[in-house]
Amino acid sequence: MIPADSRLEACIQCGTCGGSCPSYADMDHTPRQIFALIRAGARDKVMDSNTPWMCVSCYLCAVRCPQQIHIPDVMYALKAKATQERRVPSHVAPDFSKTFVDYIHKYGRSFEVGLVAKHYLRHYVTRLPGMTTSGIGMVTKGRMGFRPHQIRGVAGLNAILDRASEIEQAKQRGLFEERPQSGGTH
Amino acid sequence: MTAPVTTTQTPTPGPVGEPFEPLILGFTCNWCSYRAADLAGTARTKYPHNVRLIRLMCSGRMEPEFILEGFAKGADAVIMTGCWPEDCHYRIQSVKALRRFLFLRRTLSDLGIEPARLQRFYASAAEGQRFADEIARIVAEVRALGPIQPEIRVALDGHPVAPAPAAEPVEVEA
Amino acid sequence: MASQYMYYPGCSMDGTGKAYHDSIQAVLPELNIGLAELDDWNCCGATEYMGISPLRSQALVGRNLALAEKQKNGTDTLVAPCSACYVNLARTDAYVRESAELAASVNDALGADGMSYTPGSVKVRHLLEIMIDDIGLEEVGNHVTRPLTGLKLAPYMGCLVSRPDYDDRWQHREHPHALDQLLLALGADVVEYSRRTDCCGGHMTQISPETGLELIRRLIVEAERVGAHALVTVCPMCQMNVDFYQREMNHHFRENHHMPILFFTQLMGLAYGMPAKKLGFGREIISARPALSHIGIEAPLTEEEEAQRAAEAKPVRRRRGDPALPTPAPREDEEELR
Amino acid sequence: MTAPKIGVYICHCGSNIASMVDVEGVRDWAASELADKGVVVSRDYPFMCSSLGQELIENDIKEYGLERIVVGACSPHMHEKTFREASANAGLNPYLAELVSIREQVSWVHTDKVKATEKAKAIIAGGVYRVHEQVPLEPLIAPVNSATLIVGGGIAGITAALEIADAGYPVHIVEREPSIGGHMAQYDKTFPTLDCAACILTPKMVDAGAHPNITLHTWSEVVDVSGSVGDFKIRVKHKPRMVVEADCTGCGICIEKCPVQVIDTGFEAGIGYRKAIYTPFPQAVPKYPVLTPDDCTYFAKGTCKACEKFCPVDCIDFTQTDEFVELTVGNILLATGFQPFDARRIESFGYGRLPNVFTSMEFERMSNAAGPTGGKIVLRDGVTEPKSVTIIHCVGSRDKNTNEYCSAICCMQSLKFAHLVREHTGADVYECYIDMRTPGKGYDEFYNRILDEGTQFIRGRVAEVTDSLRYPEEEGHEGRLIVQVEDTLAGVKRRIPADMVILSTGLEPQPDATEVARMFGVGCSTNGFIIERHAKLAPVATMTDGVFAAGATLGPRDIPTSVSNGAAAAATILSRIAQGQIAMEPYRATVDAARCSGCRICNDLCPFSAITFDEAAMVTEINPKLCQGCGVCVAACPANAISGSGFSHDQIIAQIDGLLSYPGGGDGRPVEEAVGATA
């Protein structure tokens, strides 16, 4: 789940990942370049890159990678690291994640109307007019509920997530600190 | 796809409060698994020191007495390694070794010895990494099992091998 | 003998995936499949939670798996109709099976609410896999009363069913023909659709609309190129992206595409002779009516079409000398009244 | 019983052992602690295997009257022979010297010097205990039959056959295709010199076909192998040709008259046709055609017989069936070659889905002047010349999802394709590669030549080939292919329109490589190629005495390497034949008839049929010529009547005792204190 476990060392810089990536156009570095930067210890460049945030988790790179590197997992780990350090290249993608996750904390489920509305109000106000026909269609056709559903166990869920945070902090391992040079067991 | 796995090598405390380091006797065949061990060496692949190897021509050479002698003389586990059944130098003898292994595991459990103290894995001459990984896995497993019961050792050999006082449980201040 | 499965509907089923929900509810009893919804399930985290915190994300999913382990009653299979939910559930199960360390951490977290999960005790599968492997194409075909002959469909399976494939169940991870086979069993004409497992844009429509719209466009353009009347999907996220954002895509590229995207269960229902309304037709933004008219089925109007019709039908003012009485206006929304 | 006098020798191997094992400590410990086990002298030396090191041992044997030798150094697979010879030189039976590994098993794999030294001591003790039970042995001598079997008639097999036959010894080539020649016969040009493959191969094929010492068994397969080095018994199946070879003149009228055309998935790689009765190519050796009943109208419907009617010498025989031939040979050479990777397995490249994606073998046939298009490079429609061609490297190579290894020939093959495309069509050529690997003689020069020719090189592994256009600006390229790749040097993603894509497919073992390996008793690595005895020092020998391998059956090879492999194998085989006899390790099982109870438990255990039962005496017998020394019967005998020389029960029990008598682990067992100082 963290890059040190993702076989990142095995990367041969072939570019299959970048070539396969559907959201490549928006990335400031290709995934391959990110791996090279991590290996070069270029921490700032990696942390300031928007690449992980543009990953759509389609797993094309993962099944094509000739070295079977867990690329989406690396991207997740980089995002989590950036979130933790509050260091994000642009706020659009992280905000979307945060809005999404906030709904989960509050209700235990996601809530599409609120999510899309909130997100678009904040970041794409100008696009909203073009979408109202679709949006109204969604609502009146019963495709978007107006009220989110709250699960009964929401308190328990939050307790679980809080505990997970504590464990994660206790186990925190660095991205850029020395990684094992070989499979040594001593 | 496989999930990333982290291996931890923290020794489990043994019964006397010291980290328990098992002693393991490994048998290899001359053609595949011994050469896998050689390859682990040439490739400088590290693995735990706990294993000591004996070369046979074929893992099918394994006699039950070798295992019992091993346990009697201080081994905590015995490994029978050999060729992959389809790659066996002696055509099908690796399969016979497997049959004998399964039989011996049953016998051990009848004798009151944990079957996990007898292990088997395959490694071709090209699988040095696999050889090292399997040794590491087995050492961790046997470490968790703890030392073989002294009574069993006595029963097999007539007297304990290392009658050192430290082998007795020592009161350790909590 | 009915097959029983545990069911994890996922958040979309209440909202954007309502048509999927309706058609599943209609079709599964016909095939003698019972679905027991997981009690008090929570969101899977979609593609977002992993990027906030991997371990919390696994714990979030772990809660669902723990609920399933507790609830299993004669079945250990948990069915997810949404590809994103499916892959999240499958990932956590696969990872805790492989890493004892992760399993311990997840269980430690679950312990905060008195829960636990035994790795591997629940089998996570996608609804499509249930249809193909358990029900079987023959049985799927046996129920067909109104073959979809003449309806050209592009099987769009999306990315997350055959990928990343934690359990090695898919031989073809980029060009699987499972959905083709199912649609063929319904009598439909299936076109060779090379973008069958391409990305629908996922959250790109949210975070980088221009790329997201371009991703949607290539799906639609390719479907048009091979002559499809409609795309068929197995995932509410794919459906929502292609349907909901198609107008904006047209606007953005100054083009005029009209490519409806339907859930495979809706088409199963149609082939089984069920009324279109019951299968959630009409809920789509991009109307399926032109597509279904190819096989002589009148699908319900979409919101927009209804409004248009109403506008056309409503007499503006009484014509001089017209003896007719005013017609009553159609009900606003039949469903709300039921 | 008094202990034999034992000498212990600890090798430093430069710093290979000495840096991780306290060699002086081990030396002193052996001298003192193992004195009661008979150790009278214990020494260390920087390189025991050097002539000075060996001399040391030889002198000690003479001076101290040593009766056993234990050397702690590298693996016995490395230098066992060296130390045995040293012992023999000093008059000690070589099998009384034991080499135990403290390098591969200790210093190279451990990182804690104290623990490593402990383990080295235990291993030395194991050796010392073991040699007590060692007995003098003599190597087994077997005569060597001068005939050689070569399996596979490709360039490697042909080369070896001609070398051996020219030396005056008989050779049998068994080839399962109708003609010898192998893959090389399919090619047009060969890199880097661009010689015409047929021009350099055909004369060799003719020589092999006409050589008085070479017997060709084409359209044939080996079905059974028994015996051992010097004396193998081989059973060969001749598949029915439906043509009487003795009468056939090879005139080709039957082929001309045959009305059936089928896709030739063999020689023409699926892009050409052949008749139901055919020779794969005009220069085939032997010249006799083959009739395949599955394709023949007569076999399907009972009528036609056009070939028979028109044959001027009446040599068509529809009644032929399998024939079997028995051969006796002294040595075997496996030159079974490779099969090209099935490009369908990488879905993203679209082979089998997108018509204008071709494999390298298809392109080889297409560019061959004698091939289905007469050497014209065209799209699948058969007429259109491509304007733009992209060549993809590493298809089915260097990819953990298919084959992890580098196929060695693909870079050069791709460069050759680029040249041929430009020469034949003038089209733009793009090459997408991960790394350019051109290490052979003249290879990098060839790369430079292709660079000069204007081929565009893109460093990046292609992500996918598609016919689905993406951006609005790609319109106008309808019907073409798009190759999507990250140009890793420029750091940009490119979508390159192409009319034709050539997949430079890698080499894989033959589909039945594992069964063949099993039949000949040789080892296969997990990827299916045969394992050589030693990758560097015995590259064409296998683990089985008398069985050799050459060419792509050992791994991906180009033509020069295959040829030198074939020649090397021939030289090795010729030296065996010249000696006339061979010495083998004397590890054999023997039955003590007095102890055998006749229970026959062992009778079914031997896969080499070495165990037979003497019904009259009611005892089991083992034929030492057939016994391979695995020891399975030894372990199984309930009466302890079977013993195995070299690995006897007593030897192994003694070694176990030795290894475990000096444990260095925790568990409260005593840790040798002596090593503390070295930590």
Side-chain angles (χ1 to χ4, degrees), chain A residues 104-108 153-163, chain C residues 56 112:
Chain A
I104 298 180
H105 294 165
K106 209 159 168 189
Y107 299 104
V154 75
L157 174 64
N158 276 297
I160 290 172
L161 295 174
D162 290 347
R163 178 77 193 111
Chain C
R56 277 170 25 139

Side-chain angles (χ1 to χ4, degrees), chain A residues 1-2 84 157-173, chain C residues 53-60 96 99-113 115:
Chain A
M1 255 66 33
I2 61 169
Q84 202 180 54
L157 174 64
N158 276 297
I160 290 172
L161 295 174
D162 290 347
R163 178 77 193 111
S165 294
E166 286 167 25
I167 300 167
E168 196 159 53
Q169 265 153 32
K171 290 199 169 180
Q172 201 55 249
R173 266 208 264 166
Chain C
S53 152
L55 182 60
R56 277 170 25 139
S57 167
Q58 311 286 12
L60 183 79
V96 295
S99 162
E101 192 189 346
L102 178 67
S105 299
V106 168
N107 272 318
D108 189 346
L110 291 175
D113 194 25
M115 303 174 104

Side-chain angles (χ1 to χ4, degrees), chain B residues 52-72:
Chain B
R52 286 165 195 185
L53 300 181
I54 292 184
R55 177 169 62 123
L56 304 173
M57 288 306 276
C58 172
S59 56
R61 173 70 183 87
M62 199 67 192
E63 291 180 30
E65 215 181 315
F66 298 164
I67 297 166
L68 299 182
E69 180 75 5
F71 287 144

Side-chain angles (χ1 to χ4, degrees), chain D residues 104-270:
Chain D
E104 284 83 353
Q105 285 178 31
V106 182
S107 67
W108 276 352
V109 290
H110 300 321
T111 49
D112 177 333
K113 193 165 180 180
V114 177
K115 299 282 190 197
T117 305
E118 276 303 312
K119 187 174 169 183
K121 285 178 183 173
I123 288 175
I124 297 292
V128 168
Y129 278 51
R130 188 188 212 270
V131 291
H132 277 240
E133 308 299 336
Q134 225 95 311
V135 292
L137 297 172
E138 292 303 329
L140 298 173
I141 304 294
V144 174
N145 186 306
S146 65
T148 303
L149 168 72
I150 295 180
V151 188
I155 186 60
I158 291 174
T159 307
L162 287 172
E163 295 285 348
I164 297 170
D166 284 347
Y169 300 104
V171 175
H172 296 272
I173 298 181
V174 176
E175 166 61 57
R176 67 170 150 210
E177 296 300 326
S179 167
I180 58 169
H183 284 298
M184 189 175 167
Q186 292 174 279
Y187 305 151
D188 178 34
K189 296 285 193 307
T190 56
F191 58 76
T193 46
L194 298 173
D195 303 287
C196 144
C199 312
I200 54 178
L201 175 68
T202 325
K204 286 199 162 246
M205 289 166 60
V206 172
D207 285 354
H211 205 294
N213 287 335
I214 298 180
T215 313
L216 294 185
H217 305 259
T218 52
W219 202 238
S220 299
E221 284 171 20
V222 175
V223 291
D224 191 48
V225 179
S226 60
S228 61
V229 55
D231 186 29
F232 289 105
K233 300 272 185 297
I234 312 290
R235 192 170 160 83
V236 178
K237 179 172 87 177
H238 289 188
K239 295 180 280 186
R241 267 196 138 90
M242 307 298 170
V243 170
V244 181
E245 291 177 26
D247 301 338
C248 178
T249 60
C251 68
I253 290 176
C254 52
I255 304 173
E256 200 180 296
K257 298 294 176 188
C258 175
V260 184
Q261 287 221 345
V262 293
I263 297 178
D264 185 358
T265 51
F267 192 80
E268 297 293 5

Side-chain angles (χ1 to χ4, degrees), chain A residues 26 73 97 127 141 143 168, chain C residues 15 53 95 208 211 248 283:
Chain A
D26 288 320
D73 284 345
S97 294
R127 283 183 182 269
K141 276 293 174 184
R143 282 183 68 179
E168 196 159 53
Chain C
S53 152
Y95 282 13
S208 178
T211 302
E248 206 194 337
R283 289 187 187 283

Side-chain angles (χ1 to χ4, degrees), chain B residues 30 34-35 38 44-47 49 51-52 55 61 63 65 69 73-74 76 86-87 93 96 100, chain D residues 75-77 80 105 108-110 119 122 518 524 543 605 607 630 635 647 649 652 657 659 668-669:
Chain B
N30 181 52
Y34 192 89
R35 283 164 209 262
D38 274 358
R44 312 295 199 274
T45 313
K46 306 300 177 205
Y47 58 82
H49 58 83
V51 68
R52 286 165 195 185
R55 177 169 62 123
R61 173 70 183 87
E63 291 180 30
E65 215 181 315
E69 180 75 5
K73 291 285 156 63
D76 298 297
E86 63 273 23
D87 297 345
Q93 304 300 63
K96 297 199 176 107
R100 197 167 292 164
Chain D
S75 163
H77 291 299
E80 190 173 63
Q105 285 178 31
W108 276 352
V109 290
H110 300 321
K119 187 174 169 183
R518 198 167 302 153
C524 258
M543 299 293 181
L605 293 176
C630 69
F647 290 85
H649 174 88
I652 293 162
D657 292 352
L659 278 174
R669 285 177 291 225

Side-chain angles (χ1 to χ4, degrees), chain C residues 277-334:
Chain C
K277 183 86 186 171
K278 199 179 156 196
L279 298 165
F281 283 99
R283 289 187 187 283
E284 68 277 3
I285 307 289
I286 305 300
S287 175
R289 284 173 63 86
L292 297 193
S293 70
H294 288 285
I295 52 169
I297 292 177
E298 176 140 0
L301 300 169
T302 65
E303 164 75 13
E304 202 179 54
E305 288 167 332
E306 254 177 32
Q308 251 171 29
R309 283 255 172 117
E312 284 161 15
K314 212 177 276 177
V316 186
R317 64 171 73 107
R318 187 177 180 175
R319 276 191 207 145
R320 195 166 297 169
D322 185 354
L325 302 177
T327 2
R331 283 191 274 184
E332 275 298 304
D333 192 328
E334 282 183 10

